[in-house]
Amino acid sequence: MEFAWRTEDAAFRSELVDYLDTELTGEWLRSDGTGLGSAVYTEFSKTFVGKLAAKGWLTPHWPQEYGGHGQSAWQHFVLGEEMWKRGEPRGPQYMNVNWVGPAIIKYGSEEQKRALLPPIARGEVFWCQGFSEPEAGTDLASLKTRAVRDGDDYVLNGQKIWTSYANAADYCFLLARTGAPASGRDGISVFLLPMDTPGVEVRRIDGLVGEHSFNEVFLTEVRLPHTALLGEENNGWNIVRRTLAYERVGAPRYARAALVLDGLAAWARNQGSLADPGVQEQFGKARTLCEAARVLVYRVIDERAKQKEPSPLAYQARAAMVQAERAVGDLALDIMGSEALVERSLGDAQFRNSLGAGIAAGSYEVQLNLISRLILGMPKD
Ligand SMILES: Cc1cc2nc3c(=O)[nH]c(=O)nc-3n(C[C@H](O)[C@H](O)[C@H](O)COP(=O)(O)OP(=O)(O)OC[C@H]3O[C@@H](n4cnc5c(N)ncnc54)[C@H](O)[C@@H]3O)c2cc1C
């Protein structure tokens, strides 16, 4: 692994930072990252990603024929880091460029690629992820939403839950059972569902991670053409495994945590508590965890840049990011005391973020299980 940045990546970061310093001003310059699903945030990110796309900075790592610029995985990651350092102004579209698009590039038909990838690359569409169900979260393979073949169509019935941004989404990357009810992971398929299809109903859930982030999605007799199937029928589990490997490190959460840490240090300095050796030690530990997460994520990006298949390193990187987020959240509560209870304060926002980080994209405990089995070689039970 090469630790120095390549000249072109360093130059790209510097140009990007200059651009973001000019473009992201005023209201945007808050570090809490709350409101990712809010109307204001959504509107802002739609305009902003259009500007990024015009500069070739939305999907730089995609193949040129689908709206990309054939740049390396590192360049895409530099973009991600700088965005998360600023509270992720791309909004929900970080998911499109990280894993929805790459999944379509890998498994999609030529027709799907031509129809679905260019609008993502131009920053025109939102996607959401329809995986979790009321009885299928960690145990995703037990999902019950059914898709039954009927002539040239599939007819879908079921319910999704915790679907982030579904209220603003144009499409859903949806998992449904096409095999027998007890077929487990062997009977799951992926559908690319336009959210305006008749029979799709979105209901808001108020959650702790930000204004209007969560939704339930109900599917009643939703009829989709068979061309909405991604890859082969019943091969959805393989697609999801790969997709989640991309999603787990797609958001450089350590970059946002480090930004919050800087904010907390400024707060502590103002309060006169930064000189306390105990407080300094806590800051040192939290910063170390952010840096450790950064290096572990870089190992995954290094694999990707070398065109290797996703490996279990992604679980390690994800677990490290959760530890970093939690350390900063705990520090905020410790040093800010009751001020951290004020809604949207640095402490409140970071604590909520760290709770979400340990559950989304597979919980922290699940990452630990996978590390023990696939990296440490321990038995499953
Ligand atoms: C911020 C956020 C955004 C999300 N966005 C989406 C989205 O867009 N689309 C979507 O489909 N879902 C989304 N989710 C849902 C998320 O994927 C699920 O919450 C997650 O998979 C856990 O499932 P669950 O909530 O059913 O909890 P459960 O699976 O019931 O788990 C509850 C607890 O038990 C622990 N546990 C369960 N099984 C094991 C085990 N075998 N070993 C050890 N511990 C275990 C878990 O770690 C967890 O702490 C989101 C969640 C969050 C927090």
Side-chain angles (χ1 to χ4, degrees), residues 282 325-335 350-351 354:
Q282 274 184 294
E325 286 253 49
R326 285 181 176 171
V328 178
D330 290 348
L331 170 67
L333 295 195
D334 279 356
I335 67 166
Q350 181 57 27
F351 186 67
S354 66

Side-chain angles (χ1 to χ4, degrees), residues 164-236:
S164 307
Y165 326 120
N167 52 309
D170 302 287
Y171 291 93
C172 182
F173 194 98
L174 183 97
L175 296 187
R177 186 160 300 288
T178 36
S183 54
R185 56 183 64 179
D186 297 329
I188 294 173
S189 300
V190 175
F191 291 90
L192 306 173
L193 166 73
M195 290 296 281
D196 60 0
T197 310
V200 177
E201 187 195 348
V202 176
R203 290 186 206 159
R204 171 183 181 144
I205 309 175
D206 286 321
L208 59 79
V209 286
E211 191 187 329
H212 202 168
S213 278
F214 287 139
N215 305 274
E216 291 173 295
V217 178
F218 293 86
L219 305 160
T220 311
E221 296 294 305
V222 172
R223 188 168 280 274
L224 282 178
H226 70 277
T227 49
L229 177 72
L230 180 69
E232 289 168 26
E233 191 177 276
N234 294 331
N235 190 34

Side-chain angles (χ1 to χ4, degrees), residues 129-132 137-138 161-164 209 214 356 359-361 363 365 369:
Q129 180 197 70
F131 289 8
S132 305
T138 299
I161 195 165
W162 311 124
T163 323
S164 307
V209 286
F214 287 139
I359 303 171
S363 74
E365 291 74 19
N369 284 350

Side-chain angles (χ1 to χ4, degrees), residues 61-63 66 94-110 112-113 116-117 120 127-129 131 172-175 190-192 229-232 235-247 304 310:
H61 58 309
W62 285 16
Y66 304 124
Y94 73 88
M95 302 201 304
N96 299 0
V97 297
N98 279 335
W99 63 264
V100 175
I104 296 173
I105 290 171
K106 170 91 178 156
Y107 296 101
S109 65
E110 207 43 47
Q112 287 169 335
K113 291 179 194 174
L116 299 172
L117 294 173
I120 296 181
W127 281 71
C128 63
Q129 180 197 70
F131 289 8
C172 182
F173 194 98
L174 183 97
L175 296 187
V190 175
F191 291 90
L192 306 173
L229 177 72
L230 180 69
E232 289 168 26
N235 190 34
W237 194 256
N238 287 330
I239 299 178
V240 166
R241 273 182 36 205
R242 190 184 169 85
T243 302
L244 283 177
Y246 274 66
E247 189 194 7
R304 208 170 283 170

